Amino acid sequence: IRDGDQAALGGLFEAYLRLHARGGLHTSPRTLSTYGRGMVRLLTWCGHVAGIMAQDLDADAARRFVAWLQEDLSDKSAAIYTTAARRFMAALRWAGLGEGDPFKGVSVHDRTPAVEKAQPYTLGELRALLGAATPRERVFVLLCADGGLRLAEACALRWSDLDLPEQAARVTGKGGKLRTVALTGRLTAALKAWGETGAAGEVLGASRRRWQQILEALCRRAGVPPRGPHALRHTCGTRLYQVSRDLLLVARHLGHSSVTTAAIYSHLGSADYAAAVAALDGNGSE
């Protein structure tokens, strides 16, 4: 820390994460890279803005650091780097530097309501996307919109993970957690059609960044406002809740560890809400 040796501190941080993070030895390179960038931001702020040593960070300084992040970053990015900074401080304590958690009770104030961020594609837009999609693109859209897969999960899916006769897929989710996902009939048919092209290995065979670009191009062809791959997953969660009214079922299908996380989908059906309120006209007597 005194010498500003970020490479050495990065090695310390990685060792801590591989021993103590949820993913342990299987912590992904992407997570390590993201947390590394968060560490650099914290060290930069401590050295060049606050003029303190990282191990001397206290709760007030932690709040100032978070405010500094939010000046130039989105709330989501600021939250990610705040988590990285919290974990880095834990790594320093593990190495014998500092006491207590300066980030305890400190969080990024998200200025955008969750409901507004989780806008799904409508059924009409989904039909338009499927109508304009190539066989490979159709598989991608349905893996997210019917299977509820995250972008990373869809891109990592391999043919060996599929049991098409049973209409099921074995998916590796966040933190290396495995879950079995039921497949719809149309997704199974799309996979069979795409598989008949002779594909092997990964089902989709392209990077996450590439699939973001492919979906954006597909949206343009279909005349659909692009909302990104995650909005397809929101479409799945919203539709599944509308037909089941069961948050446990939604959480299981999407791979949420908590029903609380899945609860967002109970708030997305604004049309259902309006219809329910309108129905009050017919209940009771004046």
Side-chain angles (χ1 to χ4, degrees):
I1 292 176
R2 181 196 63 207
D3 299 336
D5 191 342
Q6 293 182 1
L9 289 170
L12 168 70
F13 195 15
E14 179 176 346
Y16 170 80
L17 292 171
R18 291 198 180 279
L19 286 172
H20 295 282
R22 181 188 300 175
L25 292 174
H26 301 290
T27 301
S28 71
R30 182 167 178 259
T31 297
L32 293 174
S33 176
T34 300
Y35 278 11
R37 292 195 299 273
M39 178 200 75
V40 169
R41 285 181 179 269
L42 178 63
L43 293 173
T44 299
W45 182 84
C46 287
H48 299 288
V49 179
I52 61 175
M53 302 290 276
Q55 69 268 28
D56 297 327
L57 199 76
D58 59 19
D60 286 340
R63 290 187 176 89
R64 297 203 310 274
F65 169 68
V66 171
W68 178 75
L69 288 176
Q70 288 194 274
E71 288 179 0
D72 298 314
L73 299 174
S74 67
D75 292 341
K76 181 178 180 180
S77 294
I80 291 172
Y81 289 140
T82 297
T83 299
R86 178 181 291 111
R87 298 283 175 84
F88 178 66
M89 293 304 296
L92 292 186
R93 293 195 300 276
W94 174 64
L97 286 177
E99 296 181 1
D101 179 7
F103 284 94
K104 185 177 181 179
V106 177
S107 62
V108 172
H109 174 64
D110 196 337
R111 293 160 289 191
T112 305
V115 173
E116 293 184 13
K117 294 190 297 182
Q119 291 300 314
Y121 291 96
T122 66
L123 288 180
E125 290 169 342
L126 180 58
R127 283 193 291 269
L129 289 174
L130 293 173
T134 64
R136 184 184 181 211
E137 291 169 344
R138 183 178 179 85
V139 167
F140 173 74
V141 170
L142 291 176
L143 280 174
C144 299
D146 282 9
L149 271 60
R150 300 176 178 90
L151 175 60
E153 294 170 346
C155 290
L157 192 69
R158 303 181 68 84
W159 289 104
S160 57
D161 297 325
L162 301 175
D163 185 347
L164 294 184
E166 295 296 325
Q167 292 191 200
R170 191 164 178 80
V171 176
T172 303
K174 285 186 175 181
K177 292 183 178 179
L178 297 176
R179 71 181 189 277
T180 299
V181 174
L183 306 179
T184 60
R186 64 178 178 178
L187 173 52
T188 302
L191 285 163
K192 289 179 179 178
W194 171 237
E196 290 173 358
T197 64
E202 293 180 348
V203 173
L204 295 174
S207 68
R208 286 174 289 190
R209 177 58 184 157
R210 180 59 185 145
W211 274 108
Q212 289 173 327
Q213 296 169 341
I214 292 172
L215 179 59
E216 188 172 340
L218 174 59
C219 285
R220 288 196 297 269
R221 295 203 311 272
V224 171
R227 298 190 183 93
H230 207 67
L232 291 169
R233 179 172 156 87
H234 287 310
T235 299
C236 179
T238 305
R239 293 170 57 224
L240 196 55
Y241 178 76
Q242 288 173 342
V243 299
S244 70
R245 299 301 191 212
D246 187 339
L247 286 176
L248 281 172
L249 188 152
V250 174
R252 173 180 174 177
H253 188 63
L254 298 184
H256 290 309
S257 58
S258 169
V259 174
T260 303
T261 307
I264 179 63
Y265 301 108
S266 68
H267 300 292
L268 291 177
S270 56
D272 289 345
Y273 168 69
V277 173
L280 294 176
D281 281 334
N283 294 333
S285 58
E286 296 183 358

